Amino acid sequence: MAHSTKLKFYSTQLYLGLFFCCSVFLNAQGDYPQEAFRSPMDIPLILAGTFGELRSNHFHSGIDIKTQQRQGLPIYAIGDGSVTRIKISHWGYGKALYVAHPNGYTSVYGHLQKFSPEIEAYIKNVQYQKKSYQVEVFPDIGEISVEKGKVIAYSGNTGGSSGPHLHFEIRSSISEKPTNPLLYGLEVRDATNPILEKVYVYPLSKNAQVNQSNDKVELTLKRQKDGSYLADKVSALGAIGVGFKGYDRQDMAANKNGIYAVRLSVNGKVYTDYDFETFSFGETRYINTLIDYKHFGKYRQRIQKCFKTAGNRLGIYNELYNDGRIVINEGMSYSATLLLKDLAGNETKVIIPIQGKKEELKNIKSNTKTDEYLIAKKNNNYDLGAAKVYFPANTFYEDFYIDLKKGSDTVAIHNNRVPAHRNFTITFDVTKYGKEERKQLFIARLDKKGRPSHASTYKRGNTFTTRTRNLGRYTLVKDTIAPKISPKNFKEKQWLNNYSYLSIRISDDLSGVKTYSATLNGDWILMEYEPKTNTLTYNFDDNILDKTQCNLKITVTDNVGNSTIKDYTFYRK
């Protein structure tokens, strides 16, 4: 692309990007182009995941398109544009491609198997230059141009994917805020109403009660002839809030996907209205304030709260009255309506009759108190014997009694029922260990069964430190066993004339694989690492072989420095 054309493309992109950003800002339900983009795939769009879906510590920023349980299906550019970012990583989106379009949007394609030949050659050149499988590059506008409807990649299962699919996003090129891709005219068959599983009512103010309890209460629901639900009458007093557990389902798929929009109204007045049209990556971790995190930590079930609690800075709300809290006065009657809606207009409704009534409490919420009350807005330091813990101000959303257990080797830092928004620091004193022994030690987090998992450990003098957002038990663990290496699809001194790739299995039993590298006849070669299958793969299409006898050398090192080196010989013409 000529220099003047590049400038024209960039100027147009910037102007239109600013225009669209302003439009969306001024009108949260702004119009999105319906004809500008085509589908990223030629197969019917069946979703395994929806935009805004509740995930661990984040909202899902795109849609997951099923690829018929296969890899290698063609992925098309949804519009003319320019590749502005290519990222390859072991986890996350795996192999990912970002394309900026002249109308101010950027499309994102994740978990790819490989790129189109031009892009594949470009990124492999970078990988060989940097001698690294994991790379991230930002090509100049116009350096790699793409056309609408042309193949830019092939679907895969790389990164943090749990099965073959395409993760697809549309973002603003200026703000980088993702928006729901289904707002751009993509066709997904959906005549199915959202599924409501459970409804809860929470006492929120001092002395508030619900059905003779000052703890949350699950309501009994009855399905009506019109498909709506009617809850049994609730007796309550004080400020209360509503929460629900549910999911959405599109046609032709059994996946339990996220719900697009939620509205709670009381006596006809809207108290809470939010949807997943868009959100910012900067606020996504506040998902932990949208759900009942204590319930999630205990039961691994996400209850969405229709009321706003301390620390919630989400911008997804269209309307919010009294933070969604319903004040119930004695002798008064109320009718609350909870409405769940998808983008296709399918709805599920539940009506909750509420009577203001003070009753004797029969179920009293137990409040666990410990010796330490943590003030969330302050820095907090604790000495637990084997380790010291430092929580910066605003690590947590609310004040709470923190449960800490000291130990000579292991420390317990509360439990998994309180979310941490920021990283905190755990520092172990390793004075009692010799210098050689320290080399094989690392900080580990213990699961419920006491099994250790490696926590990134920074070693300095007599201290080991890790930064994490995970509460729980931590200890020091010694790893003395080096990683294992074994061929998967070939044997020593085998002829591999008809082979297209080499496949090697690598694994580590404790601290985990940190680095790996391979040479072929002394030259570095690109090994693609798939942690989910513990597999390294070399593609013979890289064409660096110049001898019949090939000497392969593989080095794998774990997180404490234990290394294994294996040499193999094979033949190929």
Side-chain angles (χ1 to χ4, degrees):
M1 184 179 283
H3 182 67
S4 60
T5 308
K6 278 187 180 182
L7 290 176
K8 182 177 180 182
F9 180 96
Y10 181 77
S11 299
T12 302
Q13 184 193 36
L14 180 61
Y15 172 79
L16 290 175
L18 288 170
F19 172 78
F20 279 107
C21 281
C22 291
S23 297
V24 173
F25 178 77
L26 292 172
N27 180 8
Q29 299 294 331
D31 294 332
Y32 294 88
Q34 301 298 297
E35 305 294 335
F37 298 133
R38 58 151 287 161
S39 171
M41 304 192 74
D42 274 343
I43 60 174
L45 298 189
I46 302 175
L47 303 187
T50 51
F51 183 84
E53 200 165 86
L54 309 183
R55 300 288 177 89
S56 295
N57 293 310
H58 70 281
F59 297 111
H60 191 223
S61 56
I63 57 174
D64 288 341
I65 301 172
K66 288 174 173 283
T67 56
Q68 303 172 342
Q69 300 181 342
R70 296 188 290 162
Q71 299 188 50
L73 298 183
I75 306 297
Y76 302 94
I78 63 170
D80 293 346
S82 183
V83 175
T84 54
R85 184 183 182 191
I86 307 170
K87 185 176 182 180
I88 297 178
S89 56
H90 296 147
W91 299 106
Y93 292 172
K95 294 185 179 182
L97 191 66
Y98 298 70
V99 177
H101 305 282
N103 60 358
Y105 294 104
T106 292
S107 53
V108 182
Y109 314 79
H111 305 307
L112 304 171
Q113 180 190 63
K114 60 182 179 180
F115 306 103
S116 66
E118 178 190 2
I119 301 172
E120 189 77 10
Y122 177 94
I123 198 63
K124 275 201 172 181
N125 182 55
V126 174
Q127 289 173 312
Y128 270 91
Q129 284 181 353
K130 296 187 175 183
K131 293 186 178 182
S132 175
Y133 171 67
Q134 295 192 107
V135 294
E136 183 176 18
V137 292
F138 300 87
D140 291 335
I141 293 291
E143 188 175 354
I144 306 176
S145 297
V146 300
E147 295 180 24
K148 183 177 183 178
K150 297 293 185 181
V151 174
I152 55 174
Y154 296 88
S155 67
N157 187 32
T158 56
S161 172
S162 59
H165 72 275
L166 172 67
H167 174 86
F168 175 68
E169 297 180 20
I170 297 180
R171 303 179 180 180
S172 162
S173 296
I174 305 300
S175 69
E176 295 190 355
K177 287 184 66 174
T179 47
N180 196 320
L182 299 186
L183 293 167
Y184 297 83
L186 298 181
E187 294 185 5
V188 176
R189 287 180 54 182
D190 187 0
T192 306
N193 292 335
I195 308 298
L196 179 67
E197 296 180 287
K198 297 179 179 180
V199 175
Y200 298 85
V201 177
Y202 291 73
L204 299 178
S205 60
K206 185 178 181 180
N207 300 324
Q209 59 176 255
V210 177
N211 289 352
Q212 298 181 292
S213 172
N214 66 348
D215 200 356
K216 75 172 183 287
V217 173
E218 182 182 347
L219 304 185
T220 300
L221 306 176
K222 295 178 182 177
R223 192 177 180 90
Q224 306 299 293
K225 291 182 179 179
D226 62 359
S228 65
Y229 291 88
L230 177 64
D232 284 355
K233 181 175 285 189
V234 175
S235 296
L237 200 67
I240 64 172
V242 175
F244 73 93
K245 180 176 178 287
Y247 60 90
D248 193 26
R249 180 174 281 165
Q250 286 76 40
D251 300 354
M252 304 171 67
N255 299 75
K256 295 180 178 181
N257 297 329
I259 291 170
Y260 174 69
V262 177
R263 173 175 286 193
L264 174 68
S265 56
V266 181
N267 293 346
K269 180 177 180 58
V270 175
Y271 272 59
T272 305
D273 183 289
Y274 66 85
D275 62 40
F276 289 102
E277 175 188 342
T278 185
F279 61 85
S280 70
F281 288 110
E283 66 179 335
T284 187
R285 198 175 298 153
Y286 288 105
I287 183 179
N288 294 326
T289 65
L290 180 69
I291 66 172
D292 181 340
Y293 199 90
K294 183 178 180 180
H295 185 95
F296 174 70
K298 186 175 182 179
Y299 301 106
R300 310 314 291 176
Q301 299 174 351
R302 293 183 176 92
I303 299 173
Q304 293 188 51
K305 297 184 292 191
C306 299
F307 53 94
K308 201 171 182 180
T309 53
N312 184 335
R313 299 181 183 178
L314 290 170
I316 60 175
Y317 298 96
N318 301 313
E319 290 187 63
L320 195 62
Y321 173 74
N322 198 33
D323 283 339
R325 296 166 177 252
I326 309 166
V327 178
I328 305 298
N329 295 306
E330 191 167 9
M332 300 289 289
S333 296
Y334 306 81
S335 178
T337 301
L338 176 64
L339 186 66
L340 311 181
K341 191 173 181 179
D342 64 24
L343 253 178
N346 303 302
E347 297 179 351
T348 295
K349 180 171 67 175
V350 58
I351 297 174
I352 308 168
I354 306 170
Q355 180 65 44
K357 187 177 181 181
K358 185 175 183 178
E359 299 179 302
E360 180 183 354
L361 292 180
K362 292 185 178 180
N363 178 31
I364 299 176
K365 181 179 181 180
S366 59
N367 292 312
T368 302
K369 291 186 177 182
T370 68
D371 294 335
E372 301 289 347
Y373 188 70
L374 184 144
I375 306 298
K377 292 184 178 180
K378 294 183 178 181
N379 297 331
N380 292 273
N381 286 283
Y382 300 99
D383 189 342
L384 303 183
K388 294 180 179 179
V389 185
Y390 169 63
F391 298 109
N394 300 311
T395 298
F396 302 102
Y397 303 107
E398 299 180 81
D399 305 341
F400 67 102
Y401 284 98
I402 187 168
D403 187 15
L404 301 168
K405 290 183 173 59
K406 297 183 178 182
S408 58
D409 297 302
T410 302
V411 297
I413 308 168
H414 207 71
N415 55 53
N416 66 344
R417 299 177 192 176
V418 174
H421 189 79
R422 301 176 60 187
N423 283 321
F424 59 90
T425 302
I426 306 171
T427 302
F428 279 83
D429 186 341
V430 295
T431 305
K432 66 181 180 180
Y433 299 99
K435 289 185 178 180
E436 289 304 310
E437 191 174 12
R438 292 178 195 178
K439 292 179 181 179
Q440 297 177 318
L441 288 172
F442 65 93
I443 299 175
R445 183 171 183 247
L446 303 176
D447 66 11
K448 291 182 179 179
K449 295 182 178 180
R451 294 172 298 194
S453 60
H454 177 264
S456 295
T457 305
Y458 176 67
K459 301 180 179 182
R460 183 177 181 180
N462 294 328
T463 61
F464 285 7
T465 301
T466 188
R467 297 179 73 245
T468 181
R469 290 195 303 272
N470 297 313
L471 299 172
R473 292 187 299 152
Y474 287 84
T475 191
L476 291 174
V477 173
K478 182 186 291 187
D479 184 357
T480 61
I481 301 174
K484 295 180 180 180
I485 303 173
S486 60
K488 287 184 68 174
N489 72 335
F490 70 97
K491 297 179 180 179
E492 174 72 4
K493 296 185 177 180
Q494 182 179 352
W495 280 91
L496 305 180
N497 289 344
N498 298 321
Y499 280 54
S500 60
Y501 63 92
L502 289 176
S503 184
I504 314 289
R505 183 184 301 279
I506 65 173
S507 62
D508 188 75
D509 71 325
L510 195 54
S511 64
V513 172
K514 182 179 182 180
T515 63
Y516 57 90
S517 64
T519 60
L520 195 55
N521 297 333
D523 293 325
W524 185 89
I525 58 173
L526 175 64
M527 281 286 189
E528 298 199 4
Y529 180 39
E530 179 48 79
K532 295 193 294 291
T533 58
N534 299 316
T535 302
L536 291 177
T537 303
Y538 167 68
N539 192 328
F540 281 120
D541 287 344
D542 286 1
N543 291 326
I544 69 166
L545 291 176
D546 57 1
K547 296 180 181 179
T548 301
Q549 179 173 317
C550 304
N551 300 307
L552 176 67
K553 182 178 182 179
I554 301 173
T555 304
V556 181
T557 304
D558 65 19
N559 277 291
V560 297
N562 299 312
S563 291
T564 298
I565 301 174
K566 286 289 185 75
D567 293 284
Y568 301 97
T569 299
F570 64 88
Y571 303 96
R572 181 179 170 87
K573 289 184 178 178

